[in-house]
Amino acid sequence: MASNVEELLDMLYELIDEAKAVPLSSDRCMVDRDRALDLLEDIRSQFPVELAEAKKLMASRNDYIASAKREADAIRKQAEMEAQHKVSESEILAQVKAKAHEMVRQAEERSRELRRVANDYCEDALKRTEEAVSDAYDEIKQSHAKFRAVANVSSQPSMTGSGRVPVYDAEQDQ
């Protein structure tokens, strides 16, 4: 069994690509309907897995931001502690305060940058995931409609009386 939607779609593509051609037709083929429907059902069942992965990605992003905040707070606290321990002369105290403020500024700047990078990364990953899920869902709907059309055509009695079963024609769907 395939592990994700992309692999299942590849399997469905291969099933259709490797299907036997209908005699006297170069653009028509016969597909194992049950196998194709099984693959579509597997794809449908994988959607919750893909969504769970997106939720994990969001949780990871939140953890990353929280970690950046903790790091910034730790740096700030360290700077404040260093400033308190170096209280002696006014000049040294002024230097320590300036250094502490600079460290705090750098920590806040780093925190903002980490937050921005994390947000950009998560936004991009979620966008790609959303597009992949949307594309896969659109393909499934199209494939399902085509297979339903084939099923309806093949279940109708033959008009010619020759006993031949009508064959799915992809050109008619376009």
Side-chain angles (χ1 to χ4, degrees):
M1 168 129 183
S3 63
N4 64 33
V5 172
E6 205 169 312
E7 289 176 20
L8 289 167
L9 288 171
D10 289 343
M11 290 170 65
L12 181 59
Y13 180 84
E14 286 178 26
L15 176 72
I16 294 171
D17 190 46
E18 295 173 359
K20 294 181 180 178
V22 174
L24 303 176
S25 175
S26 63
D27 61 342
R28 295 182 183 160
C29 64
M30 296 182 72
V31 176
D32 180 356
R33 180 176 183 259
D34 290 336
R35 178 69 180 131
L37 290 175
D38 286 345
L39 285 172
L40 288 171
E41 188 61 36
D42 288 344
I43 291 169
R44 183 180 288 161
S45 71
Q46 285 293 319
F47 278 126
V49 173
E50 299 288 338
L51 292 175
E53 288 178 14
K55 287 179 182 179
K56 285 180 188 176
L57 186 60
M58 285 297 296
S60 174
R61 173 189 161 262
N62 291 337
D63 291 345
Y64 189 73
I65 290 171
S67 173
K69 285 181 181 179
R70 284 192 301 273
E71 182 181 339
D73 288 342
I75 292 171
R76 183 178 317 162
K77 286 179 184 176
Q78 180 183 1
E80 289 171 359
M81 286 174 50
E82 286 179 15
Q84 289 174 356
H85 285 80
K86 293 184 179 180
V87 176
S88 63
E89 295 181 14
S90 63
E91 185 177 320
I92 295 173
L93 181 59
Q95 290 174 354
V96 170
K97 284 183 179 181
K99 185 176 179 180
H101 287 299
E102 179 61 20
M103 289 176 74
V104 168
R105 185 193 62 75
Q106 287 176 352
E108 289 172 345
E109 185 176 302
R110 179 168 165 83
S111 175
R112 282 191 298 274
E113 180 63 19
L114 288 172
R115 189 176 302 120
R116 185 192 63 75
V117 168
N119 285 341
D120 290 348
Y121 173 78
C122 290
E123 184 70 24
D124 182 57
L126 288 171
K127 183 179 178 182
R128 285 185 280 124
T129 301
E130 182 181 66
E131 289 171 359
V133 168
S134 177
D135 291 345
Y137 184 67
D138 290 343
E139 276 189 44
I140 290 168
K141 287 188 340 191
Q142 291 172 358
S143 296
H144 195 228
K146 289 178 182 178
F147 287 118
R148 206 178 291 141
V150 169
N152 288 340
V153 169
S154 65
S155 66
Q156 295 174 357
S158 175
M159 300 292 279
T160 61
S162 66
R164 289 185 35 203
V165 175
V167 177
Y168 171 71
D169 185 357
E171 290 179 3
Q172 289 179 353
D173 284 348
Q174 296 177 353

